[in-house]
Structures are given as structure tokens and as C-alpha cells.
């Protein structure tokens, strides 16, 4: 057997391992955006927390190799990684949601990951195949921005994905990049569950008026252009991203938005 055939065989074997490892998970949802800085990780975490409140055992997989922010957002500090039957156990956070990130295997959270494509895709596939997913009902994957190696690896490696939630802001530059992301997911024939518009507006603390910093209704435009469900508008709120802010203290209207988002995903 030559080197190329051996590599193909190894990939096929790992595909089998990934399918077996993920076979008990009821729902697999990937959160994506073609643009960085749109609050995709925030949407992922808040949706995971809403599923958790409904009694689902939820895990967030941080698939961002170069900028893994999920551990900090979910208050995971100095985690002790354990094994069960030689498989990695996800770390359970104070909220009850589990999390898995490449950051857990780095010397420190400040250590840069200076890897090229094959090593990054290999790491993502190993996280999928070598983890103990048996106690998880819902897997939420926080994909890095763009349409390159890492997001493509996630979409092609996870079998039977329920669908993708696309996150954007109203800004025209974000809309332009997110259109590419939608086309990528459609090209791979994976369902798009809908569009979430984050940072839609800022509520004036004095008069209560909505201030549209990045324009208006960019998410609705995308949903109409691609004939997709528009899942809702999420306003600015500093409490959503503060690592030391418990979910219960987040503004009630924003909690309601994410609860409705979760319900719309469960109905699809």
C-alpha cells in the first residue's frame, strides 16, 4: 500500500470513529458566519444555555483553533481534563453546559496556535473522534469565521447535522461576507436553520429609543434573498458577553429572544 492509499484508509477509519462517537447525540447544530466579530460565539453560548434550561445535556465544541474564546465566555479556568475509556471528557461549566476547546490542551491560554491547514483539520477531527460524547444530547459547534479549512472540516466531518445557524450584523460589509457563508452551506447541501441578526441596535438608556449603529434589517434582507427563516434581532447588551455575569442577570428581553430562537430550532 502506497502512502496516498494509507492516508485514505486512515481517514476512512477516522470517519467511522467519528460517526460512532457522535451516534448518541440527538441534535447537532453548527453556528457560523462569514464575518468575524459579529457575536457568533455569544449566540452559540446563549442558545446552549437555553437548551440546558430545558433539561438537555448540552456541549459547546469550540472549533476555532486560532481564537478559542468559548472557555473564557463560559468561565472555564485551569480545567483538569479527564479520560473515560481513553476518551476525553468535556469540561462541565458552572452553568451545567459542557465545553470542549483546543485551549484545554495548550500550555497556557496565551499560547498561539501556529499551524497550517492539515494540522488544524486533523486537530478538529481528533476532537470529534476522541471525545466521550455519550452523555450529550445537543452538540453546539462554534465555527470560526469564513469558508476555509476549519469550518469546512466541521461541516464535512460531522454526520447528520441538523443544520446551521447563520449570524450576521446589519452592516453591509458583514452582509457581503455572510452571503458567501450561506452559499457555502447550501453548496454542501446542509440545511440552513435561519439567520440571526446580532448587534441590531443599541437601546438608549435615557429615552429608550433604538439607535441603529450599523444600519437596519440586514438580517431580514439575507433571509429574504435566500428564502430562509429570520430567527430574530439581538440588541447590544454588555451583560451578554461578560464572563462573570450569570445568565439570570441578562436583560429579560434578550433572554426571551434566545428562548424563542431555541424554540424555533427545536421545531425544525
Amino acid at each position: 500500500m502506497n502512502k496516498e492509499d494509507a492516508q485514505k484508509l486512515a481517514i476512512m477509519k477516522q470517519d467511522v470513529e467519528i460517526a460512532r462517537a457522535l451516534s448518541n447525540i440527538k441534535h447537532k447544530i453548527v453556528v457560523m458566519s462569514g464575518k468575524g466579530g459579529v457575536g457568533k460565539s455569544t449566540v452559540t453560548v446563549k442558545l446552549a444555555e437555553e437548551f440546558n434550561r430545558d433539561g438537555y445535556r448540552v456541549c459547546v465544541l469550540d472549533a476555532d483553533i486560532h481564537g478559542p474564546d468559548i472557555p473564557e465566555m463560559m468561565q472555564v479556568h485551569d480545567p483538569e481534563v479527564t479520560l473515560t475509556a481513553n476518551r476525553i471528557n468535556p469540561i462541565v461549566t458552572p452553568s451545567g453546559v459542557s465545553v470542549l476547546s483546543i485551549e484545554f490542551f495548550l500550555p497556557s491560554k496565551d499560547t498561539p496556535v501556529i499551524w497550517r491547514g492539515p494540522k488544524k483539520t486533523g486537530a478538529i477531527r481528533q476532537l470529534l473522534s476522541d471525545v466521550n460524547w455519550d452523555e450529550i444530547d445537543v452538540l453546539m459547534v462554534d465555527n470560526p469565521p469564513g469558508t476555509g479549512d476549519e469550518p469546512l472540516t466541521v461541516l464535512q466531518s460531522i454526520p447528520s447535522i441538523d443544520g446551521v445557524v447563520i449570524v450576521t450584523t446589519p452592516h453591509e460589509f458583514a452582509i457581503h461576507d455572510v452571503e458567501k457563508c450561506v452559499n457555502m452551506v447550501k453548496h454542501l447541501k446542509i440545511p440552513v436553520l435561519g439567520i440571526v441578526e446580532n448587534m441590531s441596535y443599541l437601546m438608549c438608556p435615557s429615552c429608550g429609543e433604538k439607535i441603529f449603529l450599523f444600519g437596519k434589517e440586514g438580517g431580514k434582507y439575507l433571509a429574504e434573498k435566500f428564502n430562509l427563516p429570520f430567527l430574530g434581532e439581538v440588541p447590544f447588551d454588555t451583560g451578554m458577553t461578560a464572563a462573570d455575569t450569570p445568565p439570570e442577570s441578562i436583560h429579560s428581553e434578550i433572554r426571551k429572544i434566545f428562548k424563542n430562537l431555541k424554540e424555533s430550532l427545536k421545531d425544525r
Side-chain angles (χ1 to χ4, degrees):
M1 181 182 298
N2 59 38
K3 184 177 179 180
E4 183 178 351
D5 289 339
Q7 289 176 336
K8 289 180 179 179
L9 181 59
I11 291 173
M12 290 174 60
K13 288 182 177 179
Q14 192 175 44
D15 283 337
V16 172
E17 286 299 315
I18 291 172
R20 182 181 295 127
L22 302 176
S23 61
N24 291 328
I25 298 178
K26 297 175 183 177
H27 301 291
K28 310 178 193 78
I29 299 170
V30 179
V31 181
M32 293 184 63
S33 179
K35 186 73 172 176
V38 299
K40 171 181 51 57
S41 297
T42 300
V43 171
T44 304
V45 170
K46 298 310 170 188
L47 283 174
E49 289 172 349
E50 288 301 329
F51 277 107
N52 182 58
R53 288 189 186 94
D54 274 3
Y56 289 91
R57 298 171 299 179
V58 188
C59 183
V60 176
L61 172 61
D62 188 350
D64 195 335
I65 299 297
H66 295 291
D69 295 325
I70 293 293
E72 185 68 24
M73 293 180 66
M74 300 184 72
Q75 304 180 56
V76 178
H77 308 292
D78 301 319
E80 182 179 345
V81 178
T82 62
L83 301 177
T84 297
N86 291 323
R87 292 186 182 275
I88 302 163
N89 294 315
I91 302 297
V92 181
T93 71
S95 70
V97 178
S98 298
V99 62
L100 188 70
S101 172
I102 191 68
E103 184 176 292
F104 299 162
F105 309 97
L106 300 177
S108 75
K109 66 179 183 180
D110 299 325
T111 301
V113 177
I114 309 173
W115 293 347
R116 295 188 185 276
K119 194 166 184 179
K120 292 188 291 184
T121 57
I124 291 172
R125 286 176 58 83
Q126 191 169 359
L127 286 178
L128 292 172
S129 64
D130 294 358
V131 171
N132 176 24
W133 300 111
D134 291 347
E135 303 300 319
I136 302 301
D137 299 317
V138 179
L139 177 63
M140 302 285 305
V141 183
D142 180 35
N143 244 356
T147 57
D149 285 335
E150 298 99 303
L152 179 61
T153 298
V154 168
L155 295 179
Q156 290 185 324
S157 299
I158 298 178
S160 304
I161 294 174
D162 289 50
V164 175
V165 174
I166 304 288
V167 182
T168 188
T169 67
H171 198 283
E172 59 179 315
F173 292 158
I175 297 298
H176 177 67
D177 288 342
V178 172
E179 286 176 333
K180 300 174 185 177
C181 185
V182 175
N183 282 323
M184 172 193 185
V185 177
K186 285 181 169 288
H187 178 74
L188 295 173
K189 302 188 185 307
I190 296 173
V192 178
L193 299 175
I195 306 289
V196 176
E197 184 185 277
N198 194 29
M199 307 181 196
S200 297
Y201 55 87
L202 174 67
M203 188 72 75
C204 176
S206 299
C207 66
E209 181 181 352
K210 292 181 179 179
I211 303 171
F212 298 94
L213 299 175
F214 299 141
K216 294 175 65 175
E217 300 186 342
K220 289 183 179 179
Y221 162 78
L222 275 176
E224 291 173 0
K225 177 176 180 177
F226 290 99
N227 193 28
L228 297 170
F230 181 63
L231 299 177
E233 299 176 340
V234 182
F236 280 93
D237 190 294
T238 56
M240 281 210 304
T241 56
D244 57 350
T245 302
E248 291 74 14
S249 67
I250 296 173
H251 192 279
S252 61
E253 287 301 311
I254 296 180
R255 281 282 308 278
K256 183 178 178 180
I257 289 169
F258 280 103
K259 183 176 181 180
N260 291 339
L261 281 177
K262 173 206 62 183
E263 294 299 329
S264 67
L265 296 180
K266 286 170 61 179
D267 291 341
R268 298 187 189 283

